[in-house]
Amino acid sequence: MKLFHLLLNIIWLVFCGIWMAIGYLIAALICFILIITIPFGIASLRIAGFVIWPFGRTTVEKPGAGAGSFIGNVIWVIFAGWWLALAHLVTSIPLFLSIIGIPFGWANLKLIPISLMPLGREVVATDQGFGSR
């Protein structure tokens, strides 16, 4: 299974992962420059690592993430989340145009919720396939 995840991640990296990770890195850089938004920058870096290598990993809610995460996610959606979600949507369209790209387009769409609400979540390894959640 790990070899399969490696193969999927390499194909993902070439066709979509690197471009989406760059988007998250730009969002993180902007958040770090603004200083008060450093927690958003950290979350953006965490997602960039997930987006560049998603197969064999998933996100789960952090225990104890409460109102602060919710408020932070609302602010994130307004300023950065919707741009990143739109980028996932736009990059999934060309992936859906080829038979080989369909699973990667679907995986790209499954990344939209984490791009909209990254706070209060963490990336963990999984034994399940990415598309089977």
Side-chain angles (χ1 to χ4, degrees):
M1 189 61 120
K2 295 204 185 249
L3 182 62
F4 185 64
H5 288 163
L6 176 67
L7 178 64
L8 288 173
N9 280 319
I10 290 171
I11 295 170
W12 170 265
L13 182 67
V14 171
F15 289 111
C16 185
I18 192 74
W19 310 113
M20 290 307 304
I22 289 170
Y24 283 99
L25 292 174
I26 291 169
L29 182 63
I30 292 168
C31 290
F32 289 139
I33 289 171
L34 298 175
I35 298 173
I36 197 167
T37 56
I38 287 176
F40 298 113
I42 293 168
S44 186
L45 287 178
R46 184 176 57 247
I47 300 170
F50 179 53
V51 166
I52 206 164
W53 209 254
F55 295 95
R57 300 189 301 165
T58 189
T59 61
V60 295
E61 290 185 25
K62 285 184 184 175
S69 292
F70 176 76
I71 293 168
N73 280 328
V74 170
I75 295 168
W76 172 263
V77 165
I78 293 169
F79 292 106
W82 74 276
W83 284 101
L84 294 165
L86 183 63
H88 280 293
L89 182 65
V90 169
T91 56
S92 71
I93 293 170
L95 292 170
F96 279 118
L97 295 178
S98 72
I99 293 188
I100 293 173
I102 291 173
F104 299 104
W106 185 246
N108 212 355
L109 292 179
K110 287 185 166 269
L111 288 166
I112 290 175
I114 189 71
S115 71
L116 289 172
M117 294 187 272
L119 301 175
R121 301 197 63 85
E122 62 184 332
V123 178
V124 296
T126 182
D127 292 332
Q128 293 180 324
F130 184 77
S132 64
R133 292 187 280 153

